[in-house]
Amino acid sequence: MSTRHILLGLLATGPSHGYDLKRRHDERFPQARPLAYGQVYTTLQRLVRDGLAEVEGTDSDGGPERTTYRSTEEGTRELTTWAREIAPPAPFVTNEIFAKVVVSILSGGDAAGYLAAQRTAHMARMRELTAVKTGPGADLATVLSADYALNHLDADLRWMTTTGSRLTTLTSEVDAR
């Protein structure tokens, strides 16, 4: 995920300060990792440096001083270009789970036990996400982001089942090299 482009997208709705951008990010992307305030402000500084956003002003509103940012025309163009780009499918097929299975085989560990434990963790996360998406007041953004994660977890589970059924052959191949 591109924090830079997400913030530009949030600025497309109008000028905002960093605190408001962080809050809106966390609301709009409820299942994503929440942004840290430092990440928001660092990204805003880079957007200003790169001419994609600019400082509109500062206000205190009775509290601490806050800087308000707005997107520039160049920022709007970059956001439009980015939003139209097709996200490339994963270029590499090795993931952490697969790497741990192979390393477990190489080190004499219990690859089957690891897959079983990983399956348990995936199932627990799937139950959490299902509860979130079916919970009272779950909005469509929450449901869609949970569905996205659930589909990926389901694909992982199917892969783990296939890999588990092929562990003997994989172990032979890994040990032969």
Side-chain angles (χ1 to χ4, degrees), residues 32-161:
R33 176 181 296 143
L35 288 179
Y37 287 106
Q39 184 179 12
V40 171
Y41 290 106
T42 299
T43 302
L44 285 169
Q45 289 169 355
R46 288 183 184 134
L47 289 171
V48 169
R49 177 198 68 201
D50 297 342
L52 303 174
E54 60 190 13
V55 174
E56 181 169 271
T58 58
D59 60 45
S60 64
D61 213 13
E65 189 172 274
R66 292 191 176 147
T67 302
T68 303
Y69 299 86
R70 68 178 187 84
S71 182
T72 62
E73 286 182 29
E74 186 177 339
T76 300
R77 279 192 301 276
E78 175 162 324
L79 180 63
T80 299
T81 300
W82 175 79
R84 289 180 179 160
E85 290 174 352
I86 301 302
F92 305 105
V93 295
T94 301
N95 66 28
E96 185 174 357
I97 298 169
F98 178 67
K100 287 182 177 185
V101 168
V102 171
V103 167
S104 182
I105 292 168
L106 288 170
S107 65
D110 180 10
Y114 168 74
L115 284 172
Q118 187 64 58
R119 173 178 287 285
T120 299
H122 269 56
M123 294 298 293
R125 180 64 179 142
M126 289 176 88
R127 284 189 292 278
E128 291 170 6
L129 288 166
T130 300
V132 165
K133 80 178 227 171
T134 59
D139 61 5
L140 185 56
T142 299
V143 171
L144 291 174
S145 61
D147 282 343
Y148 183 85
L150 283 164
N151 280 301
H152 281 267
L153 290 166
D154 182 60
D156 284 351
L157 287 172
R158 285 182 279 127
W159 178 87
M160 285 183 240
T161 299

